[in-house]
Amino acid sequence: MSWTREITCQVNEWRAARARWKADMERFKAEQRTARRSGGKMPENPGPPATGFALLPWLLMGMGAFSNLFQGETPQPWIGGTGLLAFNSLYIFVTFRAFVKEKREARSTRVALVLMGLVTCGLAAAYGGSWLYFFPLLGLAAGAVVRGPWLGQIGLGLTVLAAVVSSFRAGWDALNVAYGTFLSTMVTAAILSLADAVRQLRAAREELAHRAVEEERLRFSRDLHDLLGHTLSVIVVKSEAARRLAPRDMTAALTQITDIESVGRQALTEIREAVTGYREGSLATEVDRARSALSAAGVEPVVRRSGPPLVPRTEALLGWVVREAVTNVVRHSGATRCEITLDGTPDRVRLTLTDNGTGIPAAEPQPGIGGTGLKGLTERLATAGGSLRAGPSPRGGFTVTAELPVEGELSPESAQLPLSKAPRAR
């Protein structure tokens, strides 16, 4: 039957919430012990799970009506007993559904709340006395379910209803019943809304902390991978050059070995800086490294530069473009010549890297890049208001073109955007 399935699901949800709460409490106690030993900030107590059990003790307000029914002071007790059972059942049904937004806003919950109001009015009008205290319980259930712009109107409506019905049985004592109904409605709604806001803020804070950790981990892994990919490519190329030169020109071979040592030491420095997140690239440094790597690989480097000086962040971004593009030339192009051209104007700066390798001829360079390294650069340049295009050149070879604005400083987010992994085949 549907009601048995509903009860079973509710019990299972409560058990799951209690299990999560126990796990949170164990974690809280462990963090508390650690904070006490280290003298750090004490963690926040997660508190018990929000379930309908928190509202069940208020049913004790109906003990007076139950006592009257049990002692035979209620006329037609079978009607009163049926009404008491119906009220308690509806109260439990409504309050347990009030802690899940989807169930709270469901039509069945609103219908049950209306039926609960009808039963309350009938019992209060028929018996009076202790039965009038079902109105504050009705207000409590209404405050648990109805939250938002309609709360004030519904709270006032229940207050007026309680005053009108109670006035026929209790006279001026109806004011106490009405006041209790209004207070239980508004206070319950305020407390539960505040508890929901606290839980949402806590969940948002945990999510933000988790995302910050993930973003930093991604930044570090991609940045480190990119550094190692470029540096190891240069070391491999220079090692091959030293091996070829050793039999016939030991002096030239030792020069290459010295360069390998220098590149290795510089790589260690960059890795340490990448770990702390303070590495700032330099375009001049990257161009010098590009010359050395291209020459060792047997590729003739040609560098042309014109235009005004650039701000540091612009140089850093363009330095990454030089690094990625030259790594691709050394690894994949099979080129014998690579041109690096930097043209600057007061508004924009353009960096172009062209090789005469095995790029597939095309009508025009295509936007975007197949390798993940330059895709990361595309995202970074786009954040800075620039663009990156790469593709086969119409005259053969491969061309990478980067454009950036040069007016003022670029946004800090563009410099902190994680780079993707080392470039792959185009």
Side-chain angles (χ1 to χ4, degrees), residues 26-97:
E26 290 296 330
R27 185 170 63 251
F28 163 72
K29 292 178 181 178
E31 294 176 353
Q32 192 177 45
R33 289 192 295 268
T34 303
R36 285 173 179 172
R37 287 194 299 265
S38 62
K41 182 179 179 181
M42 296 298 292
E44 186 177 352
N45 193 325
T51 63
F53 286 97
L55 300 180
L56 287 185
W58 293 100
L59 282 176
L60 295 175
M61 293 178 62
M63 288 299 296
F66 179 79
S67 177
N68 293 340
L69 186 66
F70 184 76
Q71 295 176 5
E73 300 177 0
T74 302
Q76 296 180 336
W78 65 273
I79 296 179
T82 302
L84 183 62
L85 177 62
F87 179 88
N88 289 341
S89 300
L90 290 170
Y91 178 87
I92 294 173
F93 176 80
V94 169
T95 53
F96 270 89
R97 293 174 67 88

Side-chain angles (χ1 to χ4, degrees), residues 92-384:
I92 294 173
F93 176 80
V94 169
T95 53
F96 270 89
R97 293 174 67 88
F99 290 89
V100 181
K101 183 177 180 181
E102 292 76 13
K103 294 182 179 181
R104 182 170 68 240
E105 297 177 351
R107 179 178 298 179
S108 58
T109 305
R110 305 299 173 90
V111 171
L113 187 61
V114 172
L115 292 176
M116 186 177 170
L118 295 177
V119 172
T120 301
C121 291
L123 293 176
Y127 299 116
S130 299
W131 299 81
L132 296 176
Y133 291 107
F134 285 159
F135 275 110
L137 286 175
L138 174 63
L140 191 149
V145 172
V146 182
R147 308 175 199 174
W150 293 95
L151 176 63
Q153 300 179 22
I154 292 178
L156 290 175
L158 286 178
T159 302
V160 173
L161 178 64
V164 171
V165 176
S166 300
S167 62
F168 291 103
R169 305 291 305 190
W172 287 103
D173 288 340
L175 295 178
N176 295 329
V177 176
Y179 176 73
T181 302
F182 178 78
L183 195 64
S184 63
T185 303
M186 305 307 292
V187 170
T188 301
I191 292 176
L192 294 183
S193 298
L194 181 61
D196 283 345
V198 170
R199 283 192 295 270
Q200 292 173 5
L201 289 174
R202 182 181 299 167
R205 185 177 59 187
E206 293 177 354
E207 178 66 20
L208 289 175
H210 178 72
R211 288 187 179 182
V213 172
E214 291 296 327
E215 289 177 0
E216 180 61 18
R217 183 181 300 162
L218 184 62
R219 181 204 67 81
F220 173 72
S221 63
R222 288 179 172 177
D223 226 13
L224 187 61
H225 198 163
D226 184 82
L227 284 171
L228 291 178
H230 173 79
T231 303
L232 292 177
S233 296
V234 174
I235 291 175
V236 169
V237 170
K238 287 187 172 292
S239 298
E240 291 176 350
R243 177 176 53 80
R244 291 194 306 267
L245 293 171
R248 62 178 185 272
D249 191 347
M250 184 57 67
T251 302
L254 289 175
T255 301
Q256 296 295 332
I257 294 173
T258 303
D259 290 344
I260 292 173
E261 180 182 2
S262 175
V263 170
R265 292 183 183 278
Q266 183 63 31
L268 288 176
T269 302
E270 288 181 343
I271 289 173
R272 294 190 186 101
E273 292 174 351
V275 170
T276 57
Y278 292 116
R279 178 171 47 81
E280 188 74 26
S282 169
L283 180 58
T285 301
E286 293 299 337
V287 171
D288 290 340
R289 292 177 185 171
R291 281 197 183 101
S292 177
L294 291 170
S295 298
V299 181
E300 178 188 359
V302 179
V303 179
R304 303 185 183 92
R305 179 166 183 170
S306 63
L310 304 176
V311 297
R313 295 191 187 279
T314 303
E315 284 211 0
L317 290 173
L318 296 179
W320 278 113
V321 176
V322 171
R323 174 187 288 264
E324 296 292 342
V326 169
T327 301
N328 269 342
V329 172
V330 172
R331 282 186 173 184
H332 313 296
S333 69
T336 59
R337 179 183 174 89
C338 178
E339 296 183 4
I340 304 174
T341 305
L342 180 67
D343 297 320
T345 66
D347 297 327
R348 298 186 71 84
V349 60
R350 174 182 294 180
L351 175 68
T352 305
L353 291 93
T354 304
D355 63 64
N356 62 348
T358 57
I360 301 175
E364 60 179 347
Q366 300 297 320
I369 302 94
T372 56
L374 291 179
K375 282 185 178 179
L377 286 174
T378 303
E379 297 173 1
R380 175 176 284 198
L381 266 65
T383 304

